[in-house]
Amino acid sequence: MLCRAALSPLVRSPGWCFVLPPHAIAAISRFYILRHNQRLRNESIRYWSNIPFITMPLSRAHGKSFAHRSELKHAKRIVVKLGSAVVTRGDECGLALGRLASIVEQVSMLQNQGREMMIVTSGAVAFGKQRLRHEILLSQSVRQALHSGQSQLKDMAIPVLEARACAAAGQSGLMALYEAMFTQYSICAAQILVTNLDFHDEQKRRNLNGTLHELLRMNIVPIINTNDAVVPPPEPNSDLQGVNVISVKDNDSLAARLAVEMKTDLLIVLSDVEGLFDSPPGSDDAKLIDIFYPGDQQSVTFGTKSRVGMGGMEAKVKAALWALQGGTSVVIANGTHPKISGHVITDIVEGKKVGTFFSEVKPAGPTVEQQGEMSRAGGRTLAALQPEQRAEIIYRLADLLTDQREEILLANKKDLEEAENKGRLALPLLKCLSLSTSKLNSLAIGLRQIAASSQDSVGRIIRRTRIAKDLELEQVTVPIGVLLVIFESRPDCLPQV
């Protein structure tokens, strides 16, 4: 692409055609690459093959993961892990080209924003299986045609294909497909194949680290995969013992190990489910977990492994928690749903509520979603109470305002002092924030009046109309449900409501 951009004035000249020898093309390419890289370092607005994109101020100190989703927009270095179920078709023979193209588009968009993107991909085995099946069918049909004079494809038995052979046959085709797709966005991609032994050897690990850093510096997207053509079968081992130890048994553990090694800000794990559920996703009572905290594993029941690939959700969670321990934020999301797969990666980086976000910072109280669920459940319980029971609750609130007057006034005094010290509230708001003994007494009296009049507030017939014989229409007071009240600097507002 650089050569074409460099020679574009000559190519566009009518009646001229230039044919350059390979060494001249290589020399021109090196010249423009060096000049281009120098320009990338010196300019805040960068250009790649005449396509502008903005360099964003995304630097941050690595070592601690993001605490909230809203902080993900500051992620500079991102690893996207594509599971086998995301990359392959439903028949497990061949690639899901539409999904793959959409993922490449999103990665390219983030790369062109100035982020450093890396992809850990599956799919070599599925791609190789498709190619080998085609070759076997073709050779069998030729042999049968030579021997019998006719092809009987329906009687052909395709042998079981060994996974390593499929990986060897599919790896080059998978990479060629990635290169063709990234070229559409003027982005170069590079392939790296690794095994577990590459991480155990200190020299190899340093070499891998240096190669990845150099590729990222040159604005190239590294595409990493386990070398399934030579990798041994996974064996039980004692991984997850510390930040520096994890066994690369599948692409989930590979992505986690790579994210920590490269001090990555964010690891996005795409699978065929929306995220992590508290029970197997197929069950009726399964609920998606929005935020997952270390130590919550006991509250989750894992199902079976993925229909393809070597890992399941349990393997993803273990790898995610290990990466989180190493300072990398993790999100597990669905990369196969047709309505969200086209923007799932960019939505995650923008901080939208997609998939399951792993966080080490657990809030002191329930989340907003949990409070809403509790309010709805409580509202249904209150709606079924008898009038005397509702009145008793309101009387109890009035008594609490009186009995805990000193504690309430002391807390209000602290609020006032903090507001005055920060100087952020205007004088009218400060007056609204202030509580007094008279205000509390007035609130308690008002609550008791409401409790006394609440005996007939629910179930009272306001209007009755006879529509026909033995048919009457009644207007009856009923509970209206849960109210959301938003107010500021008004501690007495809630009892008033």
Side-chain angles (χ1 to χ4, degrees):
M1 295 299 295
L2 290 172
C3 290
R4 187 177 65 185
L7 297 176
S8 57
L10 300 178
V11 174
R12 286 195 296 266
S13 300
W16 289 88
C17 178
F18 289 87
V19 179
L20 298 180
H23 67 273
I25 295 177
I28 294 174
S29 298
R30 286 195 299 270
F31 171 76
Y32 278 97
I33 287 174
L34 291 174
R35 194 177 74 173
H36 182 72
N37 288 338
Q38 183 65 34
R39 188 167 71 250
L40 296 186
R41 289 190 291 267
N42 296 336
E43 296 181 358
S44 60
I45 299 181
R46 304 188 294 181
Y47 293 85
W48 188 270
S49 295
N50 300 325
I51 299 178
F53 55 95
I54 306 299
T55 302
M56 301 176 64
L58 300 169
S59 60
R60 77 178 186 99
H62 186 81
K64 190 174 183 180
S65 60
F66 294 119
H68 308 286
R69 284 184 183 269
S70 59
E71 300 173 348
L72 296 180
K73 61 185 177 182
H74 301 298
K76 166 71 174 179
R77 184 171 293 174
I78 303 172
V79 172
V80 179
K81 186 266 175 178
L82 308 179
S84 300
V86 177
V87 177
T88 61
R89 300 198 310 250
D91 59 4
E92 303 177 23
C93 291
L95 303 180
L97 298 180
R99 286 200 297 265
L100 208 56
S102 176
I103 290 169
V104 168
E105 180 181 14
Q106 296 174 74
V107 171
S108 301
M109 183 184 304
L110 296 175
Q111 180 83 2
N112 287 336
Q113 290 177 356
R115 306 179 197 266
E116 297 175 343
M117 306 297 297
M118 291 179 281
I119 295 178
V120 175
T121 182
S122 303
V125 175
F127 199 13
K129 183 184 294 186
Q130 181 188 36
R131 295 180 64 182
L132 293 181
R133 284 169 62 95
H134 177 76
E135 292 296 328
I136 292 173
L137 284 173
L138 184 61
S139 61
Q140 287 182 350
S141 63
V142 171
R143 283 198 301 270
Q144 287 196 7
L146 291 175
H147 289 287
S148 62
Q150 59 180 355
S151 176
Q152 299 176 352
L153 295 178
K154 63 180 180 179
D155 297 330
M156 294 180 185
I158 299 178
V160 178
L161 299 176
E162 206 271 333
R164 292 193 187 94
C166 292
Q171 194 63 248
S172 60
L174 178 64
M175 190 59 200
L177 184 61
Y178 273 117
E179 287 181 343
M181 288 182 174
F182 275 111
T183 299
Q184 303 302 314
Y185 303 95
S186 300
I187 292 178
C188 181
Q191 182 185 39
I192 297 178
L193 298 177
V194 297
T195 64
N196 194 26
L197 299 177
D198 296 326
F199 289 97
H200 288 177
D201 187 282
E202 183 66 24
Q203 183 61 45
K204 290 183 178 180
R205 197 164 77 246
R206 284 200 301 266
N207 293 342
L208 174 61
N209 192 288
T211 300
L212 289 172
H213 275 95
E214 182 66 14
L215 292 174
L216 294 176
R217 186 187 68 83
M218 297 174 64
N219 199 38
I220 295 174
V221 176
I223 298 177
I224 306 100
N225 195 3
T226 52
N227 194 355
D228 294 327
V230 299
V231 69
E235 298 178 359
N237 48 54
S238 56
D239 56 355
L240 304 176
Q241 291 182 345
V243 175
N244 296 321
V245 180
I246 186 174
S247 177
V248 177
K249 299 183 292 185
D250 49 38
N251 278 339
D252 294 319
S253 53
L254 170 60
R257 181 65 184 263
L258 188 71
V260 175
E261 287 280 346
M262 294 296 295
K263 295 181 172 57
T264 302
D265 301 320
L266 173 62
L267 169 60
I268 300 175
V269 180
L270 296 184
S271 180
D272 57 349
V273 293
E274 280 69 21
L276 180 61
F277 289 79
D278 55 1
S279 58
S283 56
D284 295 335
D285 57 344
K287 181 183 294 185
L288 179 66
I289 300 175
D290 176 35
I291 304 177
F292 189 80
Y293 306 97
D296 288 352
Q297 297 95 311
Q298 303 300 327
S299 62
V300 178
T301 303
F302 295 101
T304 57
K305 65 182 290 294
S306 172
R307 63 174 176 85
V308 291
M310 299 173 58
M313 185 55 69
E314 186 173 7
K316 290 175 176 57
V317 171
K318 287 182 178 179
L321 291 176
W322 189 87
L324 189 68
Q325 182 186 4
T328 298
S329 298
V330 184
V331 175
I332 298 178
N334 192 339
T336 63
H337 197 291
K339 292 185 178 180
I340 63 175
S341 59
H343 45 81
V344 59
I345 298 176
T346 52
D347 282 352
I348 291 173
V349 176
E350 291 174 4
K352 295 182 180 180
K353 187 179 176 181
V354 178
T356 300
F357 172 63
F358 286 71
S359 175
E360 291 187 304
V361 181
K362 195 165 187 176
T367 63
V368 174
E369 290 80 4
Q370 291 172 338
Q371 292 182 48
E373 294 175 356
M374 294 164 58
S375 298
R376 170 163 288 191
R380 289 170 176 169
T381 302
L382 291 174
L385 295 180
Q386 297 298 321
E388 298 79 9
Q389 294 173 309
R390 279 191 290 272
E392 180 63 27
I393 292 175
I394 302 175
Y395 278 125
R396 177 58 179 160
L397 290 176
D399 293 340
L400 286 174
L401 288 178
T402 304
D403 298 341
Q404 300 185 12
R405 180 187 300 110
E406 299 300 326
E407 182 179 352
I408 295 173
L409 292 176
L410 180 61
N412 181 248
K413 182 181 178 181
K414 293 181 179 179
D415 290 339
L416 286 170
E417 292 175 352
E418 184 177 355
E420 291 176 354
N421 292 334
K422 291 185 177 180
R424 295 181 180 177
L425 294 183
L427 184 60
L429 289 178
L430 280 175
K431 291 182 178 180
C432 291
L433 180 61
S434 175
L435 277 180
S436 63
T437 302
S438 60
K439 277 188 178 182
L440 290 178
N441 291 335
S442 176
L443 289 172
I445 292 173
L447 287 174
R448 292 188 176 96
Q449 291 175 348
I450 294 175
S453 62
S454 66
Q455 301 291 335
D456 59 347
S457 60
V458 176
R460 179 166 52 91
I461 299 176
I462 299 177
R463 184 182 305 168
R464 180 185 291 120
T465 303
R466 175 172 292 179
I467 299 177
K469 184 179 180 181
D470 299 330
L471 181 60
E472 292 183 347
L473 177 66
E474 294 181 345
Q475 184 180 2
V476 185
T477 57
V478 296
I480 61 175
V482 179
L483 291 177
L484 171 64
V485 181
I486 301 175
F487 54 91
E488 61 176 356
S489 299
R490 289 287 302 277
D492 53 344
C493 181
L494 190 58
Q496 287 175 352
V497 172

